[in-house]
């Protein structure tokens, strides 16, 4: 009898352990609603800001310049962004038409941009500035109705317990850790995630990055090494509506709520990062992209993208059913580079007029064409002509077209239905217009 009981107890303990590991993730109803809202929002601003901004050479500067941690970390004592004003930032991003912002709470250099008890290497305790900028942003976002998301780096170039080391940060000259380090580092990350999800109000998304630094070719083993499930479950237990995303460049792992693409629209791989990404057909998608070349502030990075380029990119991303997370790198003094702001405000102006063809839409049933992209809502298909032509074919079949009108002004657009779809005869392209939108209304839902 005693033996049987021991066996049953053992079996129960084992299966309990197993089920904690292997149970399929079931998003809470709040989480499903948050995914829906995320999809409707379509446009967010990414912010890379940290002590690295002081060296004005991007957020990887500690690694690219090969700086030892002891020297690099001294930047903190000189960090004083005297012009930082959370409300001004949020107002600019709102005027740009963004519905959410995603800011670096801790980047690969390991410096925390929030008041954390898990490490003294943070903006409140290690800088003369002493202010919790994430707190100020959370208050400004709440006031302006903007969702706040946190970027969180998995990898760390400063901590000894980030051990065994990854492929980057090799010149940091830190002492090696030991066999307990990884457990310790994981506990540190869980403590910080708990703070981020407890002290800053409702958080829209935790946006992970950097697990490619310690890479295992086997997908499952890679996720287990990083203990993703434990982290994701923690996030969802603290805030069930909080979305989990991870810029790992691989197919999604169990427990993720959105899928992220870096500098590529879903399905493309111009960067080489997206080679392993298989586009999920069930999760909301997001493409992150820079306004200039670099994510973090780089003083000689003049390559600011034009409003035309950005609007077209937003349209193409929406056409792929994905959000655009567009990055800005604030200066070390807390100001936003004027040329970046100019481009953002131009997007905002465009969205004010044409936002109904982007927000709340889904990627169109017509995939990207040589002339442009499509988005849709209900019975309406928004044809975004990015490359003007006198006539275009919109390959929709088996649904009767009721009307075709120019979004601007509402003039009727001549069309004919042919076996291959709908041929539209386009009006002349107005001066300065880089997206000529034609609204097609069909008899049936698309
Ligand atoms: C890459 C870069 C990182 C940046 C991120 C943003 O992972 O390594 O610095 O934060 O892209 O998508």
């Amino acid at each position: 009898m005693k033996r049987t009981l021991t066996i049953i107890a053992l079996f129960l303990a084992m299966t309990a352990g197993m089920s904690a590991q292997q149970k399929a993730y079931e998003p809470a109803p709040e989480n499903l609603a948050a995914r829906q809202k995320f999809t409707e929002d379509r446009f967010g601003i990414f912010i890379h800001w940290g002590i690295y901004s002081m060296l004005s050479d991007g957020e990887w500067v500690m690694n690219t310049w090969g700086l030892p941690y002891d020297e690099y970390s001294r930047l903190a004592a000189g960090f004083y962004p005297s012009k930082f004003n959370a409300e001004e930032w949020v107002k600019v991003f709102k005027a740009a038409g963004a519905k959410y912002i995603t800011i670096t709470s801790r980047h690969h250099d390991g410096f925390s941009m929030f008041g954390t008890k898990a490490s003294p290497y943070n903006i409140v305790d290690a800088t003369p500035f002493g202010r919790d900028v994430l707190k100020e942003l959370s208050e400004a976002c709440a006031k302006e109705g903007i969702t706040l998301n946190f970027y969180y780096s998995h990898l760390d170039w400063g901590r000894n317990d980030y051990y065994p080391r990854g492929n980057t940060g090799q010149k940091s000259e830190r002492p090696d850790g030991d066999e307990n380090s990884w457990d310790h580092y994981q506990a540190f990350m869980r403590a910080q995630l708990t703070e981020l999800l407890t002290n800053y109000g409702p958080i829209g998304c935790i946006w992970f990055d950097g697990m490619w630094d310690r890479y295992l070719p086997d997908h499952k083993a890679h996720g287990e090494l990083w203990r993703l499930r434990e982290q994701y479950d923690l996030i969802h237990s603290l805030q069930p509506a909080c979305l989990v995303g991870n810029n790992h460049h691989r197919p999604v792992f169990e427990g993720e709520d959105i899928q992220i693409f870096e500098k590529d629209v879903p399905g493309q791989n111009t960067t080489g990062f997206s080679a392993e990404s298989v586009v999920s057909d069930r999760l909301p998608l997001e493409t992150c992209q820079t306004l200039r070349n670099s994510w973090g502030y780089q003083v000689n990075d003049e390559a600011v993208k034009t409003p035309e380029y950005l609007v077209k990119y937003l349209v193409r991303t929406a056409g792929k059913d994905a959000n655009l997370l567009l990055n800005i790198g604030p200066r070390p003094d807390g100001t936003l580079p004027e040329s970046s702001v100019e481009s953002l405000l131009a997007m905002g102006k465009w969205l004010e007029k044409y936002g109904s063809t982007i927000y709340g839409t889904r990627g169109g049933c017509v995939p990207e064409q040589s002339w442009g992209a499509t988005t849709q809502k209900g019975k309406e298909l928004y044809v975004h002509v990015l490359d003007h032509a006198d006539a275009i074919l919109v390959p929709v079949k088996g649904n009767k077209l009721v009307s075709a009108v120019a979004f601007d002004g509402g003039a009727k657009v001549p069309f004919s239905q042919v076996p291959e779809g709908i041929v539209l005869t386009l009006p002349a392209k107005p001066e300065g217009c880089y997206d000529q939108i034609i609204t097609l209304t069909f008899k049936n839902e698309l």
Side-chain angles (χ1 to χ4, degrees), residues 46 48 59-60 107-108 151 207 209 212 247 262 288 295:
F46 210 175
H48 276 70
E59 75 290 356
W60 271 68
H107 207 271
H108 308 334
Y151 167 107
W207 205 103
D209 183 34
W212 30 257
N247 185 30
E262 181 175 339
C288 58
W295 299 98

Side-chain angles (χ1 to χ4, degrees), residues 290-317:
T290 52
L291 252 175
R292 297 169 174 235
N293 277 330
S294 168
W295 299 98
Y297 181 60
Q298 186 162 6
V299 70
N300 58 358
D301 181 0
E302 295 297 335
V304 60
K305 296 180 173 98
T306 61
E308 172 168 356
Y309 181 94
L310 294 168
V311 163
K312 288 183 170 177
Y313 203 84
L314 175 67
V315 168
R316 288 208 174 92
T317 317

Side-chain angles (χ1 to χ4, degrees), residues 10 14 28 74 92 170 177 191 214 233-235 251 268 329 334 345 353 355 411 430 440-441:
L10 255 174
M14 272 168 60
R74 285 170 188 272
V92 168
Q170 303 274 359
R214 288 193 65 197
D233 285 352
L234 172 71
I235 293 166
Q268 275 190 338
L345 295 182
K353 210 161 164 199
L440 303 186
T441 307

